[in-house]
Amino acid sequence: MLHARSNRRRLVAAVTTVLAVTLGAGALTVPATAATATPAAQTADAAATTAAPFAYPGNARLLDAGVKGFLTQTVGSNIKRFAWYGQDSGQGYTGPTYLRSTRTNDYLIFKGHYQITIRDLKTMSVRDIAIDTLTNTPVYVGSAADSVFTTSGVDFHRHTMTRTVPVAGLPTGATAITVSPGTADHALIQFTVAGVAQWGLLNLATDTVEEIHTREAGAEIKAVSATHVAWTTGAGTTTPAIFRLNRATDAVEEIPVADAVSNDLKVSLVGGWVVYGEANGATALEPNPLHALTAYNPDAEGEKTLTLLDHLTSAATAGDGSVHVRGGSLVQGEGMYKITATGNEAPAVVLEATTGEATRLTVTGNDVPGTVDLDQNAGKAKFTWNLSRTGAEVKLTVRHTRTGKTETFYDYPQSQASTSFDWQGEYNGDYTWQLTATPLNGIGSPATASGGFTATRTPKPHDFDDNGAPDVLLRDGSGRLWRADTSYDTQLQADPHQLIGTGWQVYDRIEATGDIAGSNVGDVIAREPSGALWLYQGNGRGGFGGRTKIGTGWQAFSQIAAGSDLTGDGRADLVATDKAGDLYLYPGTGSATAPFGPRKKIGNGWGVYNQLTAVGNVAGGAAGDLYARDTAGVLWQYLGKGDGTFAARTKVGGGWNAYQHLVGVGDANRDGRPDLVGFGTTGQYLYRSTGNWQAPLSGAQLAALTFGGGPYNGVA
């Protein structure tokens, strides 16, 4: 009696835990419309149904199916959820929970440590069957239809809502007994006798085990119908096999199955049709002919092999013989499909519940901006596209509209339904992009998306081909003008040189000015000894258009420097010193015909300098700066105030007379600050900006900007 009372307390606690409601609120009740609506039959190729699909819980596997409702479990959760067909809401349960059904009614089975509970979902009444997992008296061995089965020693019992009866016909010495659903009339029973695995069918009308067969090694009984039994062998191999037994004749035939890797082959019977497919094809990373849900019937009238769905994750058979499959169709999308027999004709397939997701891989969105500012983040941008699922080979093509330059990127997202690419901008202007996502599982055609964006960058004084990298202009002894496009890894160097043109020996001064004509690319001015000043507008492709005369009398100036915004208006300006040593400012206008406004004298005594270089905002101040080298080789820094004037000079250093030319090339090493390059008889050297006006330049770093066609008598 003490033992019985102790068990009773534990029983109450166990039942409370098993039946705890963890989803929704209140007790499970039968809705007024609990019966499943009967839609018109639909084949795999049809699309229309007479009943609109209801909502299926996303990312949930189908555990069991009944005639009135179904049981699911969300991936990663320990909660089982029962819902009625046709309704979006449901009830959640923790602990082992099973749904079983007859032809007309469903039952929930709850397995606790000390009892098994049967709940009749028509009347909501319950029955408890005592068990004890500590003493194994009795032992729960399975459930089917409206029943729970237990063993106790040699006793084998069936428990329903109203009775407990012994089961007859089990061979003497049977052990390792398990019972699982078969049909509305028979449960599947498996057991071992003297080390030999066997199976049979338990007649639910007579409570007797019948149709006993030996189960060969490696065989897994998968499905039972009123006419057939199906099993598989070779699980986890590349040669799975499916066999179908005719219950009337015991004749066994092998179902033709493609040689393919199989780890979780789902098999059901719809009448005489064997319905099979490898689970989880939607997330597979390679094609597999077993991904599709396939139906085969050697007795079919017409086609014997049919494709019902494009993939599946799980399947369950209800007591009325219908098979419910969580899967997907390229035509109708993801959800739960009901498959019913129509004799030897093709099974009917109806989408009864939908997740609202497409089976076909699709591109669902992106964050590609309409405009990318190349002055930000060193011209880098991250583009992301969202996909409807994982497992794709993604190809991105980005094309610059004006130049036709095309870049191609690849990605293989496997753990997340998105793909991202790091893009390094080069040219200003319009770009188009094309994204192609090819499903790795081979289900459906590639998904595509396309669009465009515009890249912007403030004009750089020495960027003539609009790629963001500084260019250097070099004039050789025969008057040919070359453009050296630079690149920087650990050293500043020139890519292959481009010949701009010939006849440039007519000029005694060539100066890169930045964008002074409003074209958004760098321009060049050239002065003849007569004093005529000419403008060559950059064409953005590394060359220049025809020249335009923009002034005369410029022979009066001994030094000219251009390319920096000195006035803070966003336009490049020019300064020049005349032979009297006066310094003049020519503010930029942005006009191609008159690029400079009236000059303004901003200093005197500048005759001591033999070179001026506009270097941009090299010292981290308010505006563009100016460097001046005196005849003794000392380099001086003039910090721009932003109003066209400069602060008092500060000394940078001596020894700069080793260079024939000092060129403010712009941002040579891509750190966001403009730099300085010295061209001497022994080579070229890069001086990187520090952004600190007190020590504005780093030490000399050897560069490689010229080639064997020199020497060069003009550099800009």
Side-chain angles (χ1 to χ4, degrees), residues 501-585:
T502 59
W504 286 75
Q505 71 273 15
V506 300
Y507 302 116
D508 66 357
R509 185 84 186 195
I510 300 171
E511 185 75 18
T513 62
D515 176 25
I516 61 172
S519 61
N520 210 40
V521 294
D523 306 317
V524 168
I525 58 172
R527 183 186 68 183
E528 293 179 342
S530 64
L533 191 65
W534 300 88
L535 168 66
Y536 287 86
Q537 279 187 259
N539 59 18
R541 297 183 295 275
F544 304 95
R547 68 179 188 175
T548 302
K549 191 173 184 179
I550 57 173
T552 59
W554 285 77
Q555 75 276 15
F557 297 109
S558 56
Q559 300 296 327
I560 297 175
S564 288
D565 177 16
L566 305 176
T567 59
D569 61 0
R571 293 190 291 268
D573 306 308
L574 180 147
V575 292
T577 57
D578 62 17
K579 294 176 182 178
D582 294 331
L583 180 67
Y584 290 89
L585 168 70

Side-chain angles (χ1 to χ4, degrees), residues 223-230 244-247 253 269 271-273 299:
V224 180
S225 73
T227 55
H228 295 85
V229 177
R244 187 188 75 160
L245 177 142
N246 187 314
R247 291 178 57 184
E253 57 189 322
L269 283 167
W273 289 86
D299 306 319

Side-chain angles (χ1 to χ4, degrees), residues 8-63:
R8 176 67 63 184
R9 286 194 294 270
R10 286 182 290 173
L11 280 169
V12 172
V15 172
T16 301
T17 300
V18 170
L19 299 184
V21 175
T22 55
L23 290 178
L28 180 67
T29 59
V30 182
T33 58
T36 305
T38 305
Q42 177 186 351
T43 67
D45 295 328
T49 64
T50 57
F54 58 93
Y56 185 90
N59 198 29
R61 300 178 69 85
L62 178 63
L63 298 179

Side-chain angles (χ1 to χ4, degrees), residues 73-400:
Q73 184 173 11
T74 300
V75 175
S77 170
N78 65 345
I79 297 173
K80 286 81 173 177
R81 177 179 180 272
F82 174 81
W84 304 106
Y85 292 123
Q87 295 198 358
D88 298 345
S89 60
Q91 196 76 41
Y93 303 94
T94 59
T97 305
Y98 311 94
L99 175 65
R100 302 293 183 246
S101 71
T102 63
R103 286 188 178 85
T104 59
N105 194 25
D106 292 343
Y107 301 83
L108 280 174
I109 310 297
F110 305 98
K111 179 180 180 296
H113 290 291
Y114 303 105
Q115 74 177 25
I116 305 296
T117 298
I118 307 175
R119 172 174 287 177
D120 183 328
L121 293 182
K122 181 177 182 180
T123 64
M124 289 296 141
S125 58
V126 298
R127 182 191 177 188
D128 298 329
I129 298 99
I131 62 171
D132 193 328
T133 56
L134 297 178
T135 63
N136 288 329
T137 53
V139 177
Y140 169 75
V141 294
S143 56
D146 61 350
S147 308
V148 166
F149 298 87
T150 63
T151 61
S152 181
V154 296
D155 296 330
F156 182 23
H157 286 92
R158 174 191 179 193
H159 311 268
T160 67
M161 292 293 299
T162 58
R163 64 193 183 107
T164 296
V165 295
V167 176
L170 193 64
T172 301
T175 60
I177 300 168
T178 62
V179 180
S180 55
T183 69
D185 301 314
H186 292 84
L188 173 66
I189 181 170
Q190 301 184 68
F191 52 91
T192 299
V193 178
V196 178
Q198 300 184 45
W199 65 270
L201 297 178
L202 198 163
N203 190 319
L204 298 175
T206 64
D207 300 317
T208 304
V209 178
E210 305 171 341
E211 302 182 43
I212 297 176
H213 297 74
T214 298
R215 178 164 57 88
E216 64 179 277
E220 294 183 42
I221 309 300
K222 293 287 190 176
V224 180
S225 73
T227 55
H228 295 85
V229 177
W231 65 85
T232 63
T233 62
T237 73
T238 57
T239 57
I242 303 176
F243 297 90
R244 187 188 75 160
L245 177 142
N246 187 314
R247 291 178 57 184
T249 65
D250 276 351
V252 177
E253 57 189 322
E254 184 174 355
I255 305 302
V257 177
D259 289 340
V261 174
S262 173
N263 294 301
D264 191 7
L265 189 65
K266 304 296 185 183
V267 179
S268 304
L269 283 167
V270 180
W273 289 86
V274 178
V275 178
Y276 65 91
E278 179 71 12
N280 304 315
T283 56
L285 301 180
E286 59 184 14
N288 187 327
L290 298 178
H291 285 161
L293 186 67
T294 303
Y296 178 82
N297 187 353
D299 306 319
E301 300 172 1
E303 292 291 336
K304 300 182 185 301
T305 303
L306 302 171
T307 298
L308 304 183
L309 298 173
D310 291 292
H311 83 90
L312 79 156
T313 66
S314 45
T317 301
D320 60 2
S322 61
V323 175
H324 301 257
V325 177
R326 168 64 181 94
S329 159
L330 292 172
V331 175
Q332 292 184 273
E334 295 294 298
M336 182 169 66
Y337 289 79
K338 182 178 182 180
I339 304 173
T340 53
T342 58
N344 284 332
E345 296 182 358
V349 181
V350 173
L351 175 63
E352 55 185 341
T354 177
T355 68
E357 302 164 311
T359 297
R360 186 181 307 279
L361 176 64
T362 59
V363 181
T364 59
N366 67 78
D367 69 351
V368 182
T371 302
V372 176
D373 186 352
L374 300 181
D375 289 323
Q376 301 295 319
N377 302 315
K380 297 178 181 178
K382 180 181 285 293
F383 300 148
T384 298
W385 285 263
N386 296 322
L387 306 176
S388 59
R389 57 177 170 81
T390 60
E393 177 189 76
V394 181
K395 176 183 177 182
L396 172 66
T397 301
V398 180
R399 182 179 183 275
H400 186 237

Side-chain angles (χ1 to χ4, degrees), residues 441-511:
N441 60 11
I443 298 175
S445 56
T448 60
S450 59
F453 61 90
T454 300
T456 63
R457 180 194 292 114
T458 56
K460 309 302 179 186
H462 279 265
D463 182 15
F464 302 114
D465 60 352
D466 190 33
N467 69 351
D471 303 316
V472 177
L473 298 178
L474 305 165
R475 182 178 60 183
D476 64 24
S478 62
R480 293 178 299 180
L481 188 66
W482 301 85
R483 182 181 62 86
D485 192 5
T486 69
S487 61
Y488 187 91
D489 186 3
T490 57
Q491 181 189 38
L492 182 65
Q493 56 189 357
D495 292 333
H497 292 46
Q498 174 189 357
L499 179 63
I500 300 300
T502 59
W504 286 75
Q505 71 273 15
V506 300
Y507 302 116
D508 66 357
R509 185 84 186 195
I510 300 171
E511 185 75 18

